[in-house]
Amino acid sequence: MTVDFEPRLTRDWDDPGVIGIDGYAAKGGYEALGRAVTMADADILELVKSSGLRGRGGAGFPTGMKWGFVPRDTGKPTYVVVNFDESEPGTCNNRELVERDPHRLLEGAAIAALAIGCETIYIYVRGEYLWQSIVLERAIAEAYGSGRFGADALGSGKRIDVVLHRGAGAYICGEETALLSSLEGYRGQPRLRPPFPAVEGLFASPTVINNVETLMNVPDILVRGSDWFRELGTEKSPGTKMVTISGKVERPGNYEVPLGTPFRVVLEDLAGGVLSGRGLKAWTPGGSSTPMLTAEHTDVHLDYESLAEAGSMLGTAAIMVMDETDCVVDCAQRMVRFYAHESCGKCTPCREGSWWATRVLERIEEGDGRDEDLPVVRDLGKNLLFRAFCALADGTASVINSSLQHFRDEFEEHVRLGGCPLKVDHLEEVPA
Amino acid sequence: MTVFEGALRADADAIMARYPDDRRRSAIMPLLYLAQSVDGWITRDALREIGQLLGITTAEVEAVASFYTMYRLRPTGTHVVNVCTNLACKLRGAEAVFEAAHEAAGVEHGAEMSEDGLFTVHEEECLGVCDFAPAVQIDFCNHDTVDPARMRELVAGLRAGEVPSPARGPAFASFKAASRALAGLEEVPSA
Amino acid sequence: MARPAAPGITLTIDDREVTVPKGTLIIRAAEQLGIEIPRFCDHPYLAPIGACRQCYVQVEGQGKLQTSCTSTVAPGMVVRTQNTSEAAREAQVANLEFLLLNHPLDCPICDRGGECPLQDQALAFGPGESRFVDAKRVFPKPVPMSPLVALDRERCVLCARCTRFCDEISGDRFLELFARSAGERVSIAAGEDFRSPFSGNTIQICPVGALTATPYRFVARPFDLTSGDSVCQHCSAGCNVRVDVRRDEVVRVLARENPEVNDAWICDKGRFAFRHADAPARITTPLIRDRGLEPASFGEVLTWVAERCAGARVAFLTGGRLTDEDYYAMSKFARTVARTNDLDHRRAFHGGLAELVAAAGATDRETSVTYADVERAKVILVAGLDTEQEVPILHLRIRKAAARGARVVVVHPRRTRLHDVAEHILVRPGQEVSVLDRIREGVDDGSPEARIAASIRDAGDSAVILAGERLAEHPLAADVALAVAAKTGARFGFVTRRANDRGALSTGVHPDLLPGGRRLDHAEERAEVEAVWGPITASEAGRNAHEILEACAERAVDVLFVIGADPLRDHPDAALVRRALANVGTLVVHSLELGDLEPFASAFLPASAAIERDGHLTDWEGRWQRIRPVRGALGISRPDWEIFCGLAAAMGADLGFETLDEIRREMASLLMPRSVGERPNVWAGAGAPQWIDDLTVFTYPMLVDEGRLSDRADELKAALEEPAFAEMHPVDAEKKGLSDGATVRLATERGDVLVPLRVTEHVAAGSVFLPFNQPGVAANTLLSGRSTAAVRVEAAEPVGSADVPAEAAEAAEAEEATA
């Protein structure tokens, strides 16, 4: 079963010409910006609101509403910050989107800037995306050179400036307030809210922070309208979503699908099914921070509401597939180690709890697990959830809780056998 | 100033000018990359001078520098080999690639670099190339779907003085060169 | 301080109602009900951070638990703490488990043991045994952050109180958090020690034994200590302290919270310079020269002194560290028993209206400033004062005001550590008066003075002007500052430096002023005092400190009392002091020790130390604060007021009081704050600045120096005392061909010193800064009565290179040539 639809974000992926501004313009690029500079800020806002576009970075917050929170009367400048820190394990759609269509991002960001009266856009790109950031730098130069950006964008009298800022290797900087902290030259630790970034964000000024994919939806909405946007997806989750699927599949990659597409379609039709025809064991719907699901959930629809009902989240729609030969304890241990490494260190539960969890899970996987370890792991899952300063620890908890929930026997087996059952050829049962 | 003088001072000034006058502190991240491009790692002198440029203490600079994994605060190999072993890559055999990297480069586990000073090997978290796992970066240039044999090939090539072509974009000759590009002072000719 | 209260917010915590101001945090509201919610990172004087996650509470209507340290109250809120909410309690226990995970079992050897919040909470409801069976993270320990502060990383719970203190309060950002995740650590940058005059506060606020004080390491347990509340005697800030004594020896000083004075802070000098009263050189019995400075009884010595005072010319020199009661007794004794007006506590300043107003304790709107006024000010002008070095806690308060948006301007010959929050106008010493005069005039020429004048005018009584006592040295400079206030409605504070200079001033330890700032030569004001004291028959106008010393040198004084002072070190004219002490007939010393005065003293009367006294100190605001004895007086030492009573009796007179209460009752009537009646018309314009000479040397004491009160504070000096230096502007250095680091000779008409030079643009051109009392370099040997003097500066050979005599060097060369 496949779904036929008119691609939107990936529409020009087969045309390397759109990477350059002339190729992009030839395909209708910057027409939306041309319209936006003549519109009233409030009208741009309304349009995006009515489209129902939701943030694609994981939180799913309605984008137009987010823009609407920005006060325009503080006397301070407003800012658009593009969150290109994409670091959620399993996620790489932003990367490919920018590699293939950099101008679309710039155009979307510029329209967002016009909607909130912003004159300087900051793009925060993760350091490891060096090539992609260079692609952006070149596109930015072209945009300035062609008069679309600068002091007098498209002759409108409005200023549109862009500053590209690179991160240096910290997953936590994908969290909005940590990103702002990093951008301001401080350690990338999240900040207290309130005040909220919309009111006091970058440089203590009203700020909107948007994901790359979110912004790349905006030009089409300007040109084609919100009704068109709503033709795909579901009522509560309109539009398309980039899905990254990786791990044990035949064709890992970034695919665009309408929101609400069943996972089965992505797995089998787009990604070619589980690698070597093996059985599906477990999969993350939205990156390692979302509770993992099992083969039982193959028919779940990929949208915000359906996944929440299934006990997980859409997140960044980064699907990592594990098959029957993969040890869930081993995978869980590796994912938890990620959180321990990326913890900013500010708050007690995340810093200590993820470190403890790593130690225990490593030990269980290596065969030194004890009976007392399982209650500890269970408690860690409970004591990390909603107990930390930010949601990073919730990601850790998701891994622990969902792996225990669906694969408890595998954990117990490790302890009982004194080793990983999937790594041992011939198993000898240790008497209880 | 001993690090940021002459042309490098001009580079530093250009970097600071990207940000508002009263928010120069934002320049600390690209300045750290610039410092890294000089010696291949960020020296004490560089930390202190960045503090002087920005009007903050050395401790404040080091606090930021030590927070991020892409800043090296100890002597580093000419080439930095980053191997992702997070889940998507692990599922496609990244751990063996990581081992192969250590062996081929001659870097002991826990050591900063190989004895010949050529290589530093890092285990990395998700590099955002899950579609071409296992993902490897050499001096932040991408090499896709790397297996142990390919890993050994890449290292051998570097040892022989050949910079391998990345899967995407141009190659940077060294970690220093990549750091300079990370500072926003790209010297790769336009496409 | 009182303001009309805004309507409060009423909420319920653990089923009890409380009403608090809007914006109050739940954790503070709970404290008002006596409910203590456990916490580590929260501190009432630091911005909330929500890092430790210990303070969880349940708020009705909220699904997730809330951290009470970051949540503000809302009307009708229903809060349940660990006392009435199982969920909150469980979360706290779980969090404690996380905190204890990596915490070492150091309690038996940890300084914090017995007064440790982590220990208390673990004992209250933590698990008895750890579930953690893996290897803890271990680190080398302790790691010195400075000679005063040591860090134990294993104990640190990363609450960030220390780094936040450095960032938010002191601005000395040497302590920072490095790295991240489980490797996160508090650290200094290598080679950049934690050298801050406020570093000790981080030790006190550290909720575990991670930051410890080297002077207190392994010294005592809380149950060993007896403690007493007192007020710090190192400067006029008036910081409230708690003094901890073990077997009669002071082992530690902590800050005591007082939001009206020092918030929760003290400086490192107040915290770590506490050993002088226990120095081996302390003398606790009277001594008499006739007996070869052997111990004698009070009766004997008082009789001996009394004989010499009868009908003689007597003078009194004192410092600024005695109590109000001591000074009052001195003032009365001088006038009514010794019949002289020759008494002074000051070193160098000239008086004027500002001093008069301070002496009167006037609380007219424009003539008094409190800490609260500084904190709330919108504009602060500081002149003639280096707050960080001279009155540190005032420095912190100014920073607090700046953090709230206050505009701060400093007029001073040298840049101060307020430079990151304040505009500095560097002026040659003596030139402050013309800058202030231009501000007073309200010039309108786009200059910095014009802008400052405009800000002060706009701020009205939210503007504060602080004049250091050095400003009064230059004719009437402080008065010009006062005139600025009078004209604009700003508030004016005359900031004296030593702990009780204000008390000495207000009780009339002054040649021209009687208690309450009443002028000796003003019949009505004098009569007010005579109504209480009886007739003041001393007819000749009094001599100030400098004049007293000159008179002694000329043998015009028979008996000189030096009380709680060290003029050889402290008076700005060492040569004069030496002559004076040599030539005066009789020298009577009241002090803790004799020190450099030994060769000159005829008699010694042992004074009790500040921590052994009962009495009041008056801080720079004019606030009286009670000190109480923390331990008994050592030996037979006595407070100075008692000595004066005894001396009066030995002279057949009666001072009119025998107890502290009696002194206080008598003082009270004379020391009520009074307006300074008709003010002398003192200002008609500054005229052109007076250049003294090509270069002017100016001096003031650094916070930590060779002053007597810092004796034996070795760790403090290792941390904060710098080797001797002088500072000069590049423009002047170039003219004289002097380079940074060179050894120079500073020469005035009085003497010369050799000192290494620092060339810096942070000192006014035309001036040379030489700290007052440095190791090996006594600035007062250069001075003639003021803290400034004309100076010549030239290159000199570094001390040590001239060690080899010229002939010997030649001979050595000759030998080599022939070898």
Side-chain angles (χ1 to χ4, degrees), chain C residues 84 117 186 212 348 568 593 603 805:
Chain C
T84 57
V186 171
T212 52
L568 280 165
E593 72 255 308

Side-chain angles (χ1 to χ4, degrees), chain B residues 21-43:
Chain B
D21 281 339
D22 58 341
R23 296 288 180 168
R24 284 288 148 82
R25 197 187 163 124
S26 294
I28 194 175
M29 291 183 79
L31 284 174
L32 285 166
Y33 280 129
L34 181 61
Q36 188 160 270
S37 74
V38 177
D39 291 301
W41 61 290
I42 301 168
T43 61

Side-chain angles (χ1 to χ4, degrees), chain C residues 457-532:
Chain C
R457 212 176 34 240
D458 292 340
D461 73 343
S462 295
V464 164
I465 299 173
L466 297 168
E469 63 181 32
R470 281 183 280 125
L471 213 57
E473 266 190 50
H474 212 258
L476 306 166
D479 291 0
V480 180
L482 176 55
V484 174
K487 192 172 170 204
T488 59
R491 309 184 72 110
F492 173 83
F494 183 63
V495 183
T496 48
R497 186 169 188 268
R498 292 170 299 186
N500 207 12
D501 278 335
R502 275 296 287 249
L505 196 56
S506 64
T507 52
V509 179
H510 192 291
D512 308 320
L513 299 178
L514 297 168
R518 295 177 176 86
R519 287 162 286 177
L520 194 62
D521 59 2
H522 191 282
E524 252 181 60
E525 292 174 4
R526 182 192 172 119
E528 284 170 17
V529 179
E530 289 181 318
V532 180

